[in-house]
Amino acid sequence: HVSPYYENLLYGGMAEGRSAVEPDPDFSPAAHIALLGQMHALGHAALPASLDVLLELVYLAAKVHGAPSGEGDGADAAVRVFKRCERALRDSLCAGNCLAMLLRLKPYAVEVPGLVDAAHAVVVVHVA
């Protein structure tokens, strides 16, 4: 399952004089570039160093394929990117960034419930 935007990006044809893809205004150019690099490398490229871009990348990967639902998802590059981003974000949680991460993650609780729970747990330990 691929969103219409990314289906057009990945499978759409090019008409003379126009691009097949319009930029998604919800995401930065850096996040789009990171996703395309990941898709090209089948999800094995280095992840962005910036937490902001990494957050956007996890949302983009969820938008492309949706959050992983089970064991059979592992071969899909978008799912691989989602899982790697989720793991990297979880590993980066600390007292210094947990509250900011929780606030950034809350609107996407459906896409990244495990990250929201992990950020909340760190907030409870370090901020409460």
Side-chain angles (χ1 to χ4, degrees):
H1 135 283
V2 176
S3 75
Y5 172 81
Y6 288 101
E7 185 173 275
N8 190 31
L9 173 67
L10 298 172
Y11 308 113
M14 298 285 282
E16 187 173 326
R18 80 172 177 89
S19 168
V21 178
E22 303 264 335
D24 186 328
D26 293 335
F27 301 98
S28 70
H32 282 101
I33 290 167
L35 178 66
L36 292 174
Q38 288 294 330
M39 298 301 282
H40 180 73
L42 300 176
H44 294 290
L47 293 173
S50 162
L51 283 180
D52 289 335
V53 176
L54 198 54
L55 280 165
E56 284 188 285
L57 185 55
V58 78
Y59 305 146
L60 273 171
K63 190 171 185 175
V64 168
H65 190 276
S69 58
E71 293 295 318
D73 290 330
D76 186 287
V79 172
R80 189 174 299 122
V81 172
F82 179 91
K83 288 179 178 179
R84 288 182 62 222
C85 290
E86 185 178 44
R87 186 172 37 252
L89 287 165
R90 186 183 311 255
D91 291 347
S92 73
L93 280 168
C94 65
N97 69 10
C98 62
L99 189 55
M101 290 267 288
L102 181 60
L103 293 173
R104 297 263 327 262
L105 291 167
K106 276 285 194 182
Y108 303 97
V110 171
E111 291 90 349
V112 290
L115 275 175
V116 172
D117 292 344
H120 184 264
V122 175
V123 166
V124 167
V125 168
H126 293 286
V127 179

